[in-house]
Amino acid sequence: MLLSDLLPHTLREAPAEAEVPSHRLMIRAGLIRRHAAGIYSWLPIGLRVLRKAERIVREEMERIGAVELLMPCVQPAELWHESGRWQKYGPELLRMTDRREREFCFGPTHEEIITDLIRNVVSSHRQLPLTLFQIQTKFRDEVRPRFGIMRAREFLMKDAYSFHLDEDTLAETYTRMREAYERILERIGLDYRVVEADNGAIGGNSSHEFHVLADAGEDTIVYAPQGQYAANLELARAQAPEGERPAPGAELEHVPTPNARTIPEVAKLLKIPAERCVKTLIVQGSEAAAVALVLRGDHELNHIKAARLAEVASPLVLLDAEAVEALGGLKFGSIGPVGLEMPVIADRDAAILSDFCCGANKPGEHYIGVNWDRDVDEPAVADLRLAREGDTSPDGQGTLAFARGIEVGHVFELGTRYSEAMGAVAQDDHGAERPLSMGCYGFGVSRVVAAAIEQSHDKRGIIWPAAIAPFDILVVPVGHGRSADMLGAAERLHDELEQAGFEVVLDDRALRPGVMFKDAELLGIPHRLVLSERSLEQGMVEYRARTAESNEDIPRERIADFLRERMHPPE
Ligand code: ATP
Ligand code: MG
């Protein structure tokens, strides 16, 4: 192919709003162009990359027996009313009205549509289990679209759904889907972690996320480098404290703490380590108006874990100063569990403390020498805190480290959440009608392209992993503006390599060599061949891998074999 036909559009500078390398490089290399927040065109070279990622995803879905279909982008509101999500989904759902005043949304995901389809076409266990997938444009009106196509509003997702009458085949499909995702990420050549995940608003049982490790990742992944454990920080279990709570050793004492409101201030004033102080957060209860959550002073609340407790409202609502004041004059900075009239839940590390310090529920006053049971009722105990780097892994193998991750895939066991709400049933082998169990499996096809760039670039540009590179080879004739021979030689080389089965692009833009070389590095095509007057005379071609620092002269007649060996080195 000729580069000039592919709408090349390279830029020296990235737009100011591009914060992360993949966004800057995708714009600068002319792979994508923005039209509005989170809404992009894919230019021809970019689209080749996207299509390659798509092909890998499709092949791996088909390998595990999933079958492709295509559902509509625009979905009728009635189905979302049936599932209960028309209300629940919130402003991320792009809603619209047709000329007859009927309501629709642009699909952010397709559980409702697929359940509607399946309830109408599947009626017997003989048709099950069944796994279907599509690769399609989704729209989510993200609060903060950013990072280019990494967190876009319109993006390309592979979404798969499986249907079962028994839990065994659901578990089997779930496992095979996990393996397929691992193969996809390995084929693209990415460093990733599979982590335990929150199943969020969709609800259900098992859930795992696939994270590509990169500094630009929006999620914090907690993992044990020496062990198996990996989880999203949102969900990561904390290490349980060891041993028993020591017996009370001090008397309860009331101490003035004027001007000390935060844990560090109180700890400093009273000369007590933060680990012996507790903090008390007041959140909305699921039944009670307020629930107190008590943590050790040096620990942070994990909002997701807290919201999962039956007593606590989900999503978590931290009461503000006014709401807290309405609970008998409590004030931030002096709240503590002693004498507090509401359910109290303590993190395991706070529950094991004795002789601790806490707010006295009066401004400017604290207690020291506080003991559970003696001074405060034994609290309910739960895992409430955020895991920390260096904690022992919850499975006991090694210590936890943190890394940033980009979520590229997510698999869920949904169970009967949608089939019960929407009446998707089938007859089992005894002739009884039962709701279908479902799994759903999302993969960010467009996002994985950005994730690949995050993991593979340098200051000069993109370094495409071979599997998704827009082309294998870039041919750059230098000085061809001056010589017809040169362009002819470049065309012959291009044609020959294409015949040999390579994907080749010829930079036929009569630009200065320096500009063409800069663009070559920016575009990141793995193998570059330069033809110059000198090399032509000598019967040579200058070869350089995108990752190499210098050229190699390769005899013109050996070039196809040479490239073949480079791309597919013998085992
Ligand atoms: P996130 O936590 O990043 O918002 P999500 O958990 O809402 O993602 P899912 O509903 O699990 O996303 O969607 C499946 C996959 O779709 C994600 O793993 C991700 O790769 C991709 N995806 C989700 N939202 C976006 C987006 N705004 N832009 C690009 N890709 C996205
Ligand atoms: Mg997700």
Side-chain angles (χ1 to χ4, degrees):
M1 278 203 181
L2 299 179
L3 187 58
S4 65
D5 289 340
L6 294 170
L7 208 60
H9 184 73
T10 54
L11 301 171
R12 290 287 145 248
E13 300 290 334
E17 87 265 7
E19 299 164 68
V20 296
S22 61
H23 186 189
R24 285 198 290 272
L25 290 170
M26 290 187 84
I27 298 283
R28 284 191 50 215
L31 308 181
I32 55 168
R33 285 295 288 181
R34 176 184 181 276
H35 301 285
I39 298 182
Y40 288 84
S41 282
W42 287 78
L43 277 65
I45 300 174
L47 185 62
R48 288 180 69 93
V49 178
L50 185 67
R51 291 287 179 249
K52 289 203 171 170
E54 189 180 316
R55 188 181 317 148
I56 293 172
V57 171
R58 180 176 284 113
E59 283 171 7
E60 294 304 332
M61 287 298 105
E62 290 176 345
R63 192 200 296 273
I64 60 164
V67 176
E68 189 164 1
L69 85 172
L70 186 59
M71 293 180 275
C73 294
V74 174
Q75 309 184 7
E78 293 89 77
L79 296 178
W80 286 71
H81 283 299
E82 279 190 56
S83 72
R85 284 208 293 185
W86 189 257
Q87 267 73 34
K88 267 205 195 131
Y89 212 91
E92 265 190 29
L93 190 64
L94 178 65
R95 297 156 211 254
M96 50 200 154
T97 309
D98 74 3
R99 65 170 83 200
R100 296 190 176 79
E101 297 297 312
R102 278 190 294 245
E103 287 185 297
F104 292 85
C105 64
F106 195 109
T109 173
H110 277 68
E111 285 79 12
E112 282 78 2
I113 292 280
I114 192 104
T115 307
D116 182 44
L117 181 71
I118 294 303
R119 71 180 168 185
N120 289 310
V121 300
V122 168
S123 55
S124 154
H125 65 95
R126 282 184 221 94
Q127 295 162 281
L128 301 169
L130 181 67
T131 307
L132 299 163
F133 77 98
Q134 64 174 347
I135 297 178
Q136 192 212 34
T137 299
K138 301 280 188 265
F139 193 95
R140 295 183 182 178
D141 201 352
E142 298 275 354
V143 213
R144 225 187 132 201
R146 57 184 185 152
F147 302 162
I149 49 113
M150 192 137 98
R151 179 165 299 284
R153 293 198 293 169
E154 188 178 300
F155 59 96
L156 190 65
M157 196 203 285
K158 183 285 300 176
D159 45 329
Y161 305 88
S162 69
F163 295 88
H164 313 262
L165 266 182
D166 57 284
E167 295 306 313
D168 289 354
T169 61
L170 172 57
E172 234 168 75
T173 301
Y174 186 86
T175 304
R176 270 194 298 187
M177 198 58 82
R178 272 188 64 164
E179 290 165 357
Y181 278 27
E182 296 191 31
R183 271 195 300 271
I184 291 167
L185 296 170
E186 267 148 37
R187 280 181 65 180
I188 301 179
L190 297 171
D191 186 12
Y192 68 93
R193 288 281 184 297
V194 187
V195 307
E196 289 178 12
D198 180 39
N199 38 28
I202 298 191
N205 312 313
S206 274
S207 166
H208 287 87
E209 287 170 358
F210 293 73
H211 284 264
V212 168
L213 302 184
D215 293 339
E218 294 179 281
D219 289 283
T220 301
I221 304 308
V222 177
Y223 69 104
Q226 314 90 330
Q228 291 297 309
Y229 186 74
N232 197 314
L233 178 59
E234 287 180 345
L235 189 83
R237 282 173 273 149
Q239 167 197 9
E242 282 173 19
E244 301 275 299
R245 185 163 71 208
E251 293 301 311
L252 181 68
E253 229 183 291
H254 203 197
V255 289
T257 48
N259 305 324
R261 290 168 36 93
T262 64
I263 294 279
E265 285 163 4
V266 172
K268 192 167 165 215
L269 180 74
L270 300 177
K271 300 193 173 54
I272 297 176
E275 300 91 90
R276 304 206 60 84
C277 300
V278 302
K279 55 177 140 194
T280 305
L281 305 164
I282 311 293
V283 301
Q284 207 175 77
S286 52
E287 280 166 21
V291 172
L293 304 178
V294 178
L295 290 117
R296 217 170 74 180
D298 58 327
H299 287 159
E300 296 301 326
L301 178 68
N302 180 320
H303 289 217
I304 303 274
K305 285 199 278 197
R308 289 179 150 212
L309 300 175
E311 300 89 333
V312 172
S314 172
L316 193 77
V317 181
L318 284 164
L319 298 192
D320 60 16
E322 205 180 319
V324 164
E325 174 113 45
L327 299 165
L330 295 177
K331 283 234 191 297
F332 284 151
S334 60
I335 304 176
V338 181
L340 204 57
E341 283 176 9
M342 63 180 78
V344 174
I345 306 173
D347 179 60
R348 296 171 305 182
D349 285 293
I352 202 171
L353 291 179
S354 51
D355 303 334
F356 58 88
C357 163
C358 65
N361 299 325
K362 288 197 197 101
E365 294 180 23
H366 277 74
Y367 284 119
I368 55 173
V370 187
N371 282 279
W372 297 111
D373 194 26
R374 189 192 69 185
D375 311 317
V376 203
D377 285 346
E378 283 289 354
V381 179
D383 176 8
L384 285 178
R385 72 170 173 96
L386 284 176
R388 290 195 303 194
E389 275 190 291
D391 281 355
T392 306
S393 172
D395 64 6
Q397 294 171 38
T399 52
L400 296 181
F402 283 14
R404 305 295 295 172
I406 301 169
E407 181 196 316
V408 293
H410 199 163
V411 295
F412 291 102
E413 273 185 17
L414 286 174
T416 55
R417 154 85 179 80
Y418 291 90
S419 48
E420 282 190 30
M422 298 180 66
V425 295
Q427 280 190 353
D428 65 17
D429 45 5
H430 304 295
E433 267 196 350
R434 291 202 288 120
L436 298 171
S437 280
M438 281 174 71
C440 77
Y441 319 92
F443 191 90
V445 181
S446 45
R447 181 179 283 181
V448 83
V449 172
I453 298 175
E454 288 300 331
Q455 263 189 6
S456 186
H457 67 272
D458 62 16
K459 60 180 189 303
R460 297 186 299 239
I462 300 167
I463 302 174
W464 287 114
I468 58 168
F471 292 93
D472 302 322
I473 303 163
L474 173 68
V475 176
V476 186
V478 295
H480 84 255
R482 273 154 279 162
S483 136
D485 280 0
M486 172 67 70
L487 191 55
E491 278 168 359
R492 280 192 299 281
L493 180 63
H494 165 275
D495 294 352
E496 197 180 305
L497 292 172
E498 224 169 45
Q499 292 276 310
F502 297 109
E503 293 184 22
V504 195
V505 59
L506 167 59
D507 191 349
D508 58 332
R509 306 168 303 165
L511 299 175
R512 280 186 292 115
V515 175
M516 293 203 282
F517 292 156
K518 277 223 159 64
D519 281 357
E521 286 175 324
L522 181 57
L523 281 170
I525 294 165
H527 308 277
R528 185 185 85 184
L529 298 175
V530 175
L531 291 179
S532 64
E533 302 291 352
R534 180 192 67 87
S535 63
L536 271 190
E537 269 163 32
Q538 298 172 344
M540 294 291 201
V541 177
E542 278 173 37
Y543 167 79
R544 191 192 286 205
R546 173 62 182 82
T547 47
E549 287 302 326
S550 59
N551 296 335
E552 289 173 62
D553 280 335
I554 311 297
R556 171 69 179 79
E557 69 280 2
R558 261 199 34 78
I559 195 71
D561 286 337
F562 171 82
L563 288 165
R564 217 172 274 122
E565 281 160 28
R566 276 299 161 106
M567 285 181 220
H568 310 285
E571 299 280 305

